């Protein structure tokens, strides 16, 4: 089971994901993330994947969908603490990824 907790700072909305993200978990997380995006309309949504132990292709779809949602609201998406393999895929999709040493 995956969870998400939120923290806001200025124009940033941090979403800390934890657990295993499979198809069912991705659907639940999508609803929570979209609700938070619509309620707060942050300039930047930061997805922190530091607590994620497993992610299948549904998790990648979750991230790409949140990028589209953030852009439609005039914002951007940034990823932090993503595993290296996922970071490579996300960079190809033009989603910025940072590690613990590069956080803003």
């Amino acid at each position: 089971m995956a969870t998400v907790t939120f923290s806001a700072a200025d124009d940033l909305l941090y979403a800390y994901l934890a657990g295993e993200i499979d198809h069912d978990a991705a659907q639940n997380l999508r609803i929570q993330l979209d609700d938070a995006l619509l309620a707060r309309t942050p300039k930047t949504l930061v997805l922190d994947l530091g607590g994620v132990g497993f992610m299948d292709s549904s998790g990648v779809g979750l991230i790409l969908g949140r990028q589209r949602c953030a852009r439609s609201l005039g914002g951007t998406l940034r990823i932090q603490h993503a595993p290296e393999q996922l970071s490579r895929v996300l960079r190809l999709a033009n989603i910025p990824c940072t590690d613990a040493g590069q956080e803003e």
Side-chain angles (χ1 to χ4, degrees):
M1 176 176 193
T3 60
V4 60
T5 55
F6 295 97
S7 171
D10 298 322
D11 290 338
L12 298 173
L13 176 61
Y14 290 89
Y16 299 93
L17 281 67
E20 297 186 355
I21 302 177
D22 59 11
H23 177 75
D24 293 333
Q27 287 186 10
N28 183 38
L29 292 171
R30 178 189 57 78
I31 293 167
Q32 293 179 66
L33 290 165
D34 286 354
D35 286 349
L37 274 170
L38 292 170
R40 300 173 191 245
T41 59
K43 209 173 199 182
T44 303
L45 171 64
V46 180
L47 294 182
D48 187 305
L49 304 178
V52 175
F54 169 82
M55 179 184 293
D56 67 11
S57 60
S58 298
V60 175
L62 170 75
I63 292 169
L64 295 174
R66 301 311 50 81
Q67 180 188 40
R68 283 190 302 273
C69 186
R71 283 183 177 169
S72 73
L73 296 170
T76 61
L77 175 70
R78 190 177 79 214
I79 305 295
Q80 63 187 29
H81 302 126
E84 183 55 35
Q85 285 183 326
L86 179 59
S87 292
R88 282 185 247 146
V89 171
L90 295 174
R91 279 193 219 86
L92 290 172
N94 288 324
I95 299 175
C97 297
T98 58
D99 64 22
Q102 298 174 318
E103 289 181 42
E104 293 177 358

